[in-house]
Amino acid sequence: MSDTVLRFAPSPTGGFHVGNARTAIFNHLYAEHYKAKLLLRVEDTDRERFTESSLQTILDGLNWLGVDFDAEPVFQSDNAEAHKQAAARLVETGHAYYGYETAEELDAMRRQAQVEKRRVRYNRDLTPEQQAAYEGRPRVVRFKVPVGETVWHDRIRGVQRWDNAEVEDFVLLRPDGSPVYNLAVVVDDRDMGVNLVLRSADHLSNTPKQIMLFEALSWMVPEYGHSTLILGPDGSKLSKRHGATTISEYRERGFLSDAMFNYLALLGWAPGDEREVFARDELVEVFSVEGLLKRDAIFDEKKLVWLNGEQMRLRPVDAVLDDAVPIWIAEGWLTEAEASERRDELMKIAELLQPRLHTLEDLKHTGYFFVDPDVYDAKTAKKNWKTDTPERVELMIERLQDLDSFGEGEIEGVTRTLSGELGISASRLIHPTRLALCGVGFGPGLFELMAVLGRETCVRRLKKALEVLGS
């Protein structure tokens, strides 16, 4: 086992977004590949925005993606006393100070700083007498940013230099004594033994602040690695206006966890070859921190849909059926008892559908396997059901009824033979037959479909279409 300790630290204040999920996946892949330890910390100190439902959404999403941790979750709020002690220590050692400014005074100080194009100058060195004059006022603890620069070697981006003059003195404790993000993170990372932090580039501006705090507290500074941002197709940061952005939304829309894991792993990481479809264990095997990219990634839902289809075809057929049955039951096409009794038949349907599925949502458009059509797609009927079609369908019925065996090969044989006798292309029999059987102009290969439906169902549906569509 490596002595590296990583953490994934979500904040339960909203949905489990794809960016957070990708961070969890990168940490998981690193831990599995390098035999490191991965911990889960729930950053729940923002009690005004914290919700139990958000926490459950995150935990469910991590479980669905298969991201495992090496210990029970740590809740940041449970470490509140350590946060306060660290702030007190920073005050005692002169690295932090009490600030008494009101909101109005802070606004005036910031406006003046903007006019003079400099950072805000806070009252860092109040005497005991001056502090006594503020007795009764709410106060914060603010960090005294040192002069100079903060430098670190980023595991992804290389050497990073940050001019401390760009960083204002920042708050550590709010007036109510609760910790601000950067202090809580530093204390918790130290207490949990975290020595490598892999996270998104949107945390880059936090890193110099956290390094300053580690150094001021004389604690070992972890290594950092900042992956790319995830952008929408228009190049702006991914948001709701680009469509779905949370893991639960994609799960509800019928995407597979294997596909989402595979796709997010490739957003900001390159395996070193042209492969795009991976099983989880393959991703673990080929993952390397050197493969993590610096350039921002574009979230392409069309690519995700394609990859989902590829992952669908890698699954065992019985797994496809296990996903399909609840959907078919929910649509009212099956009962649970029927699903159990007809499993062999349903397995044939799943096998027929598997190569054509993009997402599990597609299964909601397969009712023609279970229910005779009541209506027929008007556009398809106009194109494929002509005045001479009924006569040909009647001949098709006769040939099907005369077959000794109702298999795919036999059905194709009589169809092509009949089309030859009539002097027409096979498509002029295939398309109206599909319409009659399914009510639509799309679906699996007709001969495979008919073999699964069976002779009785096919003949019944063809006769019904003759009655409804007529000539």
Side-chain angles (χ1 to χ4, degrees):
M1 287 287 291
S2 163
D3 59 0
T4 302
V5 180
L6 306 100
R7 49 79 166 173
F8 174 61
S11 178
T13 57
F16 186 34
H17 293 272
V18 295
N20 289 334
R22 187 194 59 169
T23 296
I25 287 169
F26 283 165
N27 277 275
H28 173 84
L29 289 173
Y30 187 102
E32 291 294 309
H33 181 85
Y34 295 101
K35 309 301 181 188
K37 187 176 183 180
L38 177 58
L39 304 176
L40 174 62
R41 181 171 73 235
V42 179
E43 300 195 333
D44 61 339
T45 52
D46 187 350
R47 301 310 295 182
E48 290 185 5
R49 298 172 60 210
F50 169 86
T51 66
E52 288 290 346
S53 61
S54 177
L55 173 59
Q56 194 59 52
T57 296
I58 293 169
L59 297 177
D60 289 345
L62 290 168
N63 183 61
W64 182 67
L65 289 169
V67 176
D68 300 319
F69 298 92
D70 294 299
E72 291 298 308
V74 171
F75 287 83
Q76 192 168 64
S77 57
D78 292 340
N79 209 24
E81 189 56 38
H83 303 151
K84 293 177 182 178
Q85 290 175 3
R89 178 177 168 184
L90 289 167
V91 172
E92 291 170 4
T93 56
H95 292 98
Y97 58 95
Y98 293 114
Y100 298 89
E101 297 88 356
T102 64
E104 293 77 12
E105 289 169 342
L106 287 172
D107 285 341
M109 292 166 67
R110 287 167 184 150
R111 285 195 299 270
Q112 186 62 33
Q114 287 177 347
V115 170
E116 299 178 11
K117 297 181 180 180
R118 57 170 174 79
R119 69 178 185 176
V120 177
R121 298 192 184 106
Y122 296 96
N123 298 317
R124 285 182 163 191
D125 301 304
L126 294 175
T127 65
E129 291 77 17
Q130 289 173 319
Q131 290 189 40
Y134 289 117
E135 188 69 34
R137 264 200 192 193
R139 68 180 186 182
V140 300
V141 175
R142 186 175 281 115
F143 183 71
K144 190 182 294 184
V145 174
V147 174
E149 64 177 2
T150 300
V151 182
W152 75 94
H153 185 272
D154 195 282
R155 289 289 299 274
I156 299 171
R157 297 169 179 268
V159 175
Q160 300 291 299
R161 296 182 177 276
W162 205 281
D163 186 350
N164 292 354
E166 297 179 11
V167 183
E168 290 185 0
D169 290 359
F170 52 94
V171 173
L172 302 177
L173 290 183
R174 301 181 182 92
D176 63 1
S178 63
V180 171
Y181 169 78
N182 283 305
L183 175 66
V185 164
V186 166
V187 175
D188 294 344
D189 280 348
R190 189 257 189 174
D191 289 354
M192 295 171 68
V194 172
N195 51 27
L196 174 59
V197 178
L198 291 181
R199 56 190 181 185
S200 174
D202 52 6
H203 280 287
L204 267 170
S205 62
N206 289 318
T207 303
K209 297 177 182 178
Q210 291 168 17
I211 291 175
M212 291 177 203
L213 287 172
F214 273 109
E215 291 176 344
L217 289 162
S218 300
W219 292 343
M220 185 190 72
V221 180
E223 286 189 277
Y224 291 91
H226 294 86
S227 61
T228 61
L229 296 175
I230 298 181
L231 307 179
D234 61 356
S236 63
K237 193 170 182 181
L238 190 67
S239 66
K240 289 295 288 183
R241 64 191 178 85
H242 296 113
T245 60
T246 66
I247 293 300
S248 57
E249 286 175 297
Y250 283 104
R251 184 179 182 181
E252 290 163 5
R253 289 173 53 192
F255 286 86
L256 302 175
S257 62
D258 285 342
M260 184 60 70
F261 191 103
N262 186 170
Y263 182 66
L264 291 179
L266 296 175
L267 283 185
W269 171 76
D273 56 30
E274 299 302 315
R275 293 178 62 194
E276 294 183 290
V277 182
F278 291 87
R280 290 170 188 262
D281 57 349
E282 292 174 327
L283 284 167
V284 169
E285 182 180 351
V286 302
F287 179 83
S288 70
V289 70
E290 290 78 18
L292 291 167
L293 305 176
K294 301 176 185 178
R295 64 178 182 274
D296 291 334
I298 302 296
F299 193 95
D300 182 351
E301 189 168 296
K302 290 182 180 178
K303 183 71 169 291
L304 174 59
V305 170
W306 169 81
L307 188 55
N308 200 74
E310 294 299 304
Q311 286 287 351
M312 192 80 72
R313 285 174 270 291
L314 293 177
R315 309 180 79 207
V317 179
D318 57 353
V320 177
L321 180 58
D322 289 341
D323 282 331
V325 165
I327 294 173
W328 291 336
I329 291 174
E331 293 294 326
W333 301 328
L334 279 177
T335 65
E336 290 188 15
E338 289 172 333
S340 178
E341 294 166 3
R342 298 168 58 185
R343 187 166 180 87
D344 289 345
E345 175 193 344
L346 297 177
M347 189 73 79
K348 294 177 182 177
I349 296 175
E351 188 174 6
L352 183 57
L353 288 172
Q354 185 178 17
R356 299 164 175 84
L357 294 175
H358 297 292
T359 74
L360 296 176
E361 278 279 298
D362 294 342
L363 292 163
K364 294 182 179 180
H365 305 290
T366 57
Y368 49 80
F369 279 106
F370 307 98
V371 182
D372 292 358
D374 289 323
V375 295
Y376 301 87
D377 181 68
K379 190 175 292 185
T380 304
K382 182 178 180 180
K383 181 178 180 181
N384 296 302
W385 196 276
K386 307 297 184 180
T387 54
D388 54 0
T389 298
E391 181 181 350
R392 294 169 182 167
V393 170
E394 287 174 353
L395 290 171
M396 185 75 170
I397 291 172
E398 291 176 11
R399 300 295 174 92
L400 294 174
Q401 288 176 323
D402 289 341
L403 280 175
D404 293 330
S405 175
F406 203 74
E408 178 186 337
E410 291 78 7
I411 297 168
E412 182 175 4
V414 299
T415 303
R416 298 196 183 281
T417 298
L418 178 57
S419 66
E421 292 173 3
L422 295 172
I424 60 174
S425 67
S427 64
R428 295 185 67 183
L429 278 176
I430 291 172
H431 294 315
T433 299
R434 181 188 298 282
L435 176 66
L437 297 179
C438 303
V440 292
F442 59 85
L446 179 65
F447 309 124
E448 302 166 272
L449 171 68
M450 293 176 72
V452 170
L453 290 176
R455 188 198 318 258
E456 180 184 342
T457 297
C458 288
V459 170
R460 181 181 68 247
R461 293 185 183 183
L462 287 168
K463 289 181 177 179
K464 180 180 179 181
L466 288 173
E467 294 174 4
V468 176
L469 294 172
S471 58

